[in-house]
Amino acid sequence: MNNTLTNLLLNDRGVAFNPSTGDTLLLSPTALRLVKLLQLGENEDSLLRHLLEEYEVEDSTARRDLDSFLTQLDQMQLL
């Protein structure tokens, strides 16, 4: 995992602060949950499993949304 994601500071309201860039992000509750899981070392398959267990969503929708989310993190150089 990228050290930037590990160092991302989070609060329970979904505010994320990146101390290396000074950027502040506002995360949805789902995005916050996924970032916390990534910080714990969870992999993509585990994230998908969590989405399917915790939210009423179809497999294809969860996969598409997770891929999009991970792409966004990558574009922000957090992964």
Side-chain angles (χ1 to χ4, degrees):
M1 175 191 334
N2 183 320
N3 198 31
T4 303
L5 185 62
T6 304
N7 292 331
L8 198 65
L9 303 173
L10 306 169
N11 74 14
D12 291 337
R13 294 183 180 164
V15 176
F17 176 71
N18 184 342
S20 63
T21 63
D23 292 338
T24 302
L25 309 167
L26 183 58
L27 304 173
S28 71
T30 304
L32 177 62
R33 175 78 171 125
L34 292 174
V35 168
K36 285 181 177 182
L37 290 168
L38 285 167
Q39 288 180 327
L40 292 172
E42 300 285 339
N43 63 27
E44 189 172 334
D45 290 334
S46 177
L47 295 177
L48 181 61
R49 193 169 44 256
H50 280 281
L51 286 174
L52 293 171
E53 291 172 0
E54 296 175 23
Y55 303 95
E56 292 183 26
V57 63
E58 291 185 23
D59 187 282
S60 61
T61 301
R63 167 57 61 192
R64 183 192 67 229
D65 292 349
L66 179 59
D67 288 345
S68 175
F69 177 70
L70 294 175
T71 297
Q72 289 175 11
L73 289 180
D74 188 48
Q75 290 172 345
M76 291 186 289
Q77 299 179 348
L78 293 172
L79 286 182

